[in-house]
């Protein structure tokens, strides 16, 4: 699938092409990401949505090649960042990219800061490594950054250890670390999952502001459509390691095409629902990723499935500029007379 | 040991309280004693009542607290009439110096090996840790005797040989801690901000294992001190005219039946220092436990 913005001569900021990641474990080969492709332009925000184990996190960690030291992992495809294939860089070149060109925010702010290192030092560390700033310059910049991400009394809190910060504050520190060197791309892996709802909104707002200020591109990994709606220009829906649907965010809520996307949207609670209306879960379980999947991975749970779905893997079908759906019925579904502007009320 | 005490404290609240208060405040006595030892090592002249080297046949083998023409001999005198207390003070510097330097070298090697083995795992882990185990399986004290008798006894060789006794202990503990720390998200986050392997090891892993190292370090100083005393006692360690407590014990041995203090008093001093180190280490252990 190709996204928007490839029409210009310049290459897009990030181009993921047919990325596949598999882990060789004792229980067999697990395909964590299977044929993922997308592009991202400068300053653009992409939301990657999927349930646990759908490959959304691994797919994004592979951009930075952050695999566990021991994982026996096979990566194929290409991840081109400003034209350079990150999968082919040396470890030293890669450490320049990490934090310098591409920032990363993790899910759990409580464990992503080193407990025995003052928070300010953790921000300054990245600055000094990537910009070669002096100790003093890095400290001044760190205080500015901490102030910018909303840490009150930043100059005095520089020397405090993470345990004296709340979850939301720690996530703000993580944001400061991630944007310290003004990266061109920020990857946020479920940045709000571990936070209170009110804090979630603040962090999302902060990310959005910083993105506009610094002109960063953003990849937000989440399972929360609310987060997608708040932050992303485009959405990529993943299921069982494969991309299912890729579309502009407003299309997602008005013209979702893929049966899986539709099923997910039906599960978002709505104010319009009458109080007694039950949410209808998608029947069945996601497939085991150790088994090869011949057809569409969603076929066993899909209420629209036809014979072909089990036998052949559907290619992404282009439904409009930057709207693709990996479904054999995509065109047919797109032609439906009543555009499902309220997919959650469909039969 | 500490775990046992904690369990007991939990089981009996009344006894536990008294014990906890002892554990809370008793340590400073031992710390103060060690500070005194450090002072003895730093400026022995200030503390020595007599010139430790001056021979005086007229005051040979005086028992502790005996008074000669020169004054009172707190720890008695040896067969050449030298004041034992002054000699013990004089021996402090070399005793502590050898123990601290050798333990520090052993700790540095062990910490490095442990971090590398724990962080990388796999083949480096197996190689390094098997090396440590193979060495632990050998009677290192005997190997040390062999080496020292072959190379000739000297302080320098002692400082090279003694660390081999302790580095595997540090390596094992640090490896185990590193295995835990390695899995933490903040290590992944550090890599994601561009930290290279040395940066991750020294700025992120090391500070997290320091509390455990400190506990071990203090205990191991005691062990090394005992090992040095053992080697010196056997005549392959420190040689006269240098003085260490182990050497004093050795010198007194032939006269054990007539002058017990020559052996017993340096031995007691050595024992109390090792005990103090152990007590201080337990105190650190509580801090380390609280931090973890």
């Amino acid at each position: 699938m190709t996204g928007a913005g490839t029409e210009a001569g310049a290459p897009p900021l990030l181009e993921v092409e047919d990325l596949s990641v598999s882990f060789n474990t004792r229980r067999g080969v697990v395909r964590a990401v299977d044929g993922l492709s997308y592009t991202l332009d400068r300053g653009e925000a992409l939301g990657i949505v999927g349930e646990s184990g759908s490959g959304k996190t691994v797919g994004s960690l592979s951009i930075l090649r952050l695999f566990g030291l021991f994982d026996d992992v096979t990566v194929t495809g290409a991840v081109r960042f400003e034209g350079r294939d990150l999968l082919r860089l040396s470890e030293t070149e890669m450490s320049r990219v990490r934090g310098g060109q591409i920032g990363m925010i993790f899910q759990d702010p409580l464990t992503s800061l080193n407990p025995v290192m003052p928070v300010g030092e953790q921000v300054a560390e990245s600055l000094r490594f990537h910009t070669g700033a002096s100790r003093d310059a890095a400290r001044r910049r760190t205080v500015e950054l901490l102030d910018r991400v909303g840490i009150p009394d930043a100059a005095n809190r520089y020397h405090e250890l993470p345990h004296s910060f709340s979850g939301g504050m720690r996530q703000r520190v993580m944001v400061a670390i991630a944007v310290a060197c003004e990266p061109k791309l920020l990857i946020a892996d479920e940045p709000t999952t571990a936070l209170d709802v009110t804090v979630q909104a603040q962090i999302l707002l902060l990310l959005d502001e910083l993105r506009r200020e610094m002109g960063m591109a953003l990849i937000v990994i989440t399972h929360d459509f609310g987060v997608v709606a708040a932050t992303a220009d485009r959405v990529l829906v993943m299921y069982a390691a494969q991309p299912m649907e890729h579309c502009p965010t407003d299309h997602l809520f008005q013209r979702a095409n893929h049966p899986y996307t539709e099923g997910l949207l039906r599960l978002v609670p709505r104010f319009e629902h009458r109080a007694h209306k039950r949410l209808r879960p998608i029947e069945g379980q996601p497939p085991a990723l150790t088994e090869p999947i011949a057809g569409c991975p969603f076929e066993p749970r899909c209420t629209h499935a036809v014979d072909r779905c089990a036998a052949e893997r559907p290619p992404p079908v282009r439904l409009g500029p930057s709207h693709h759906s990996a479904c054999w019925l995509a065109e047919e579904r797109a032609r439906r007379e009543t555009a499902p502007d309220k997919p959650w009320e469909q039969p | 040991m500490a775990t046992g005490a904690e369990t007991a404290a939990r089981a009996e609240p009344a006894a536990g309280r008294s014990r906890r208060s002892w554990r809370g405040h008793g340590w400073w006595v031992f710390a103060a004693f060690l500070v005194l030892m450090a002072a003895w090592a730093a400026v022995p002249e200030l503390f020595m009542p007599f010139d430790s080297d001056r021979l005086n046949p007229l005051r040979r083998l005086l028992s502790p607290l005996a008074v000669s023409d020169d004054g009172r001999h707190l720890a008695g005198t040896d067969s050449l009439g030298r004041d034992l207390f002054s000699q013990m003070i004089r021996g402090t510097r070399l005793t502590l110096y050898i123990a601290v330097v050798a333990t520090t070298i052993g700790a540095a090697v062990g910490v490095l090996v442990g971090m590398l083995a724990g962080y990388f795992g796999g083949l480096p882990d197996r190689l390094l840790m098997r090396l440590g185990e193979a060495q632990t399986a050998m009677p290192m004290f005997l190997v040390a005797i062999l080496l020292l008798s072959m190379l000739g006894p000297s302080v320098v060789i002692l400082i090279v040989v003694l660390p081999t006794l302790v580095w595997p202990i540090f390596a094992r503990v640090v490896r185990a801690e590193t295995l835990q720390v390695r899995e933490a998200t903040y290590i992944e986050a550090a890599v994601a901000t561009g930290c290279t392997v040395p940066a991750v090891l020294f700025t992120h892993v090391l500070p997290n294992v320091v509390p455990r190292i400190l506990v071990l370090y203090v205990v191991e100083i005691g062990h090394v001190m005992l090992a040095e005393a053992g080697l010196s006692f056997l005549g392959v360690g420190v040689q006269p005219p240098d003085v260490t407590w182990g050497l004093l014990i050795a010198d007194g041995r032939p006269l054990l039946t007539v002058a017990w203090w020559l052996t017993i008093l340096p031995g007691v001093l050595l024992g109390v220092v090792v005990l103090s180190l152990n007590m201080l280490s337990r105190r650190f252990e509580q801090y380390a436990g609280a931090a973890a």
Side-chain angles (χ1 to χ4, degrees):
Chain A
M1 287 184 227
T2 47
T6 45
E7 60 281 348
L13 179 70
L14 180 74
E15 201 176 357
V16 175
E17 196 181 307
D18 199 23
L19 178 72
S20 295
V21 182
S22 46
F23 294 97
N24 308 314
T25 68
R26 276 183 216 149
R27 292 185 196 161
V29 177
V30 179
R31 303 210 78 177
V33 177
D34 191 354
L36 179 64
S37 303
Y38 59 85
T39 60
L40 193 64
D41 280 328
R42 279 159 219 282
E44 204 182 8
L46 173 72
I48 300 184
V49 188
E51 54 198 278
S52 305
S54 61
K56 56 189 193 301
T57 296
V58 173
S60 308
L61 289 178
S62 348
I63 297 173
L64 285 176
R65 297 215 323 246
L66 289 175
F67 303 109
L69 215 49
F70 298 92
D71 293 336
D72 184 3
V73 60
T74 315
V75 187
T76 59
V79 176
R80 275 187 290 275
F81 181 77
E82 299 190 307
R84 281 198 301 175
D85 189 349
L86 297 183
L87 299 180
R88 278 162 192 62
L89 291 189
S90 74
E91 207 34 50
T92 322
E93 290 171 309
M94 201 60 216
S95 70
R96 290 272 146 207
V97 174
R98 292 178 189 138
Q101 311 272 313
I102 305 180
M104 174 105 202
I105 300 171
F106 290 87
Q107 178 173 351
D108 185 0
L110 298 181
T111 57
S112 2
L113 290 167
N114 187 339
V116 298
M117 196 169 170
V119 292
E121 299 287 334
Q122 302 193 42
V123 183
E125 178 189 44
S126 172
L127 278 169
R128 295 184 61 197
F129 180 75
H130 290 290
T131 63
S134 71
R135 196 175 283 271
D136 279 347
R139 172 168 306 174
R140 278 195 301 275
R141 178 78 184 119
T142 299
V143 172
E144 280 171 30
L145 278 164
L146 290 177
D147 193 50
R148 176 62 195 88
V149 298
I151 306 281
D153 197 16
N156 287 320
R157 305 211 71 181
Y158 182 97
H159 296 286
E160 286 183 28
L161 293 175
H163 70 81
S164 56
F165 286 68
S166 69
M169 285 295 167
R170 288 192 218 185
Q171 195 64 305
R172 285 173 192 273
V173 175
M174 285 307 293
V175 172
I177 294 175
V179 303
C181 306
E182 308 202 355
K184 292 169 186 143
L185 170 63
L186 179 63
I187 302 174
D189 183 5
E190 307 206 20
T192 57
T193 306
L195 304 174
D196 284 347
V197 179
T198 48
V199 181
Q200 287 187 2
Q202 294 166 11
I203 295 286
L204 290 177
L205 189 65
L206 175 67
L207 284 178
D208 206 49
E209 285 170 9
L210 288 171
R211 175 165 80 90
R212 284 169 210 287
E213 268 171 40
M214 302 182 172
M216 289 183 296
L218 178 67
I219 296 180
V220 183
I221 301 156
T222 181
H223 50 242
D224 185 342
F225 278 109
V227 172
V228 168
T231 52
D233 303 325
R234 283 186 294 129
V235 188
L236 177 67
V237 179
M238 288 187 74
Y239 177 77
Q242 295 178 22
M244 294 284 108
E245 185 161 7
H246 186 180
C247 62
T249 307
D250 43 356
H251 280 217
L252 176 82
F253 294 101
Q254 285 152 22
R255 271 182 276 162
N257 179 279
H258 200 281
Y260 177 63
T261 318
E262 214 177 81
L264 285 182
L265 286 168
R266 269 205 296 272
L267 293 172
V268 181
R270 298 275 173 176
F271 280 123
E272 301 94 87
H273 286 167
R274 280 169 294 163
H276 63 270
K277 181 162 180 180
R278 282 171 166 268
L279 296 171
R280 275 180 300 164
I282 305 171
E283 297 291 327
Q285 294 289 322
L289 297 176
T290 42
E291 309 296 329
I293 300 165
C296 170
F298 189 57
E299 178 271 332
R301 303 170 76 183
C302 183
T303 49
H304 305 277
V306 295
D307 292 347
R308 196 180 188 186
C309 295
E312 280 176 85
R313 181 168 166 178
V317 179
R318 189 168 186 275
L319 298 169
S322 71
H323 188 163
H324 299 76
S325 174
C327 179
W328 287 117
L329 305 173
E331 281 173 341
E332 188 183 314
R333 289 170 62 78
R335 279 197 303 271
R336 282 174 301 184
E337 289 198 358
T338 51
D341 52 51
K342 289 179 180 170
W344 56 91
E345 282 179 2
Q346 282 197 351
Chain B
M1 233 161 44
T3 344
E6 274 160 26
T7 327
R10 237 172 269 133
E12 308 162 64
R17 201 169 301 126
S18 66
R19 170 168 246 153
R20 207 172 307 140
S21 65
W22 181 86
R23 285 176 59 171
H25 302 290
W27 67 275
W28 68 263
V29 178
F30 298 104
F33 180 71
L34 290 175
V35 169
L36 177 68
M37 290 301 105
W40 281 11
V43 277
E45 301 80 12
L46 283 185
F47 296 91
M48 290 187 337
F50 301 95
D51 178 354
S52 64
D53 285 337
R54 216 178 103 219
L55 313 178
N56 185 346
L58 294 177
R59 55 174 209 207
R60 293 168 53 214
L61 295 178
L62 292 178
S63 60
L65 301 177
V67 180
S68 76
D69 298 343
D70 300 330
R72 189 178 286 277
H73 300 278
L74 279 178
T77 57
D78 69 4
S79 58
L80 299 172
R82 292 176 297 195
D83 181 60
L84 181 61
F85 187 59
S86 301
Q87 289 208 67
M88 278 164 27
I89 292 175
R90 191 182 147 217
T92 311
R93 178 180 289 178
L94 194 57
T95 308
L96 292 188
Y97 174 78
I98 292 174
V100 168
V101 172
T103 313
T104 306
I105 295 172
V109 172
V111 167
L112 194 64
V113 166
M115 282 202 305
L116 291 174
Y119 190 74
F120 288 106
L123 190 64
D125 182 26
R126 263 168 290 173
L127 276 179
L128 291 168
M129 296 321 284
R130 285 313 89 80
L131 182 69
E133 278 159 27
Q135 204 214 282
T136 315
M138 288 196 292
M140 280 316 289
F141 196 74
L142 296 183
V143 175
I145 293 173
L146 183 73
L147 277 175
L148 284 162
S149 42
M150 275 177 5
L151 299 168
S154 84
V155 171
V156 174
I157 293 184
L158 208 53
I159 286 175
V160 173
V161 169
L162 285 171
T164 59
L165 293 171
V166 291
W167 78 265
I169 305 169
F170 282 96
R172 266 201 300 277
V173 171
V174 170
R175 173 182 173 270
E177 290 283 311
T178 307
L179 282 176
Q180 276 186 14
V181 171
R182 180 185 78 185
E183 299 300 328
T185 316
Y186 59 83
I187 297 297
E188 192 180 18
V191 176
T193 56
C195 280
T196 51
V197 170
V200 170
L201 286 182
F202 287 100
T203 65
H204 292 280
V205 176
L206 186 59
N208 279 287
V209 301
V210 156
R212 298 282 164 207
I213 301 174
L214 197 61
V215 171
L216 200 58
Y217 180 71
V218 174
V219 178
E220 291 307 320
I221 288 178
H223 284 166
V224 170
M225 206 178 268
L226 290 176
E228 177 269 317
L231 291 171
S232 297
F233 181 83
L234 293 170
V236 292
V238 176
Q239 299 297 311
D242 286 337
V243 183
T244 65
W245 298 335
L247 204 58
L248 289 177
I249 297 171
D251 287 347
R253 192 186 54 86
L255 297 166
L256 189 55
T257 47
V258 286
W260 55 268
W261 56 90
L262 293 180
T263 318
I264 301 295
L265 292 182
V268 167
L269 181 62
L270 182 65
V272 173
V273 168
V274 173
L275 176 73
S276 302
L277 288 168
N278 284 348
M279 286 301 172
L280 205 61
S281 151
R282 279 179 65 174
R283 179 70 189 165
F284 287 149
E285 198 176 6
Q286 289 169 36
Y287 274 120

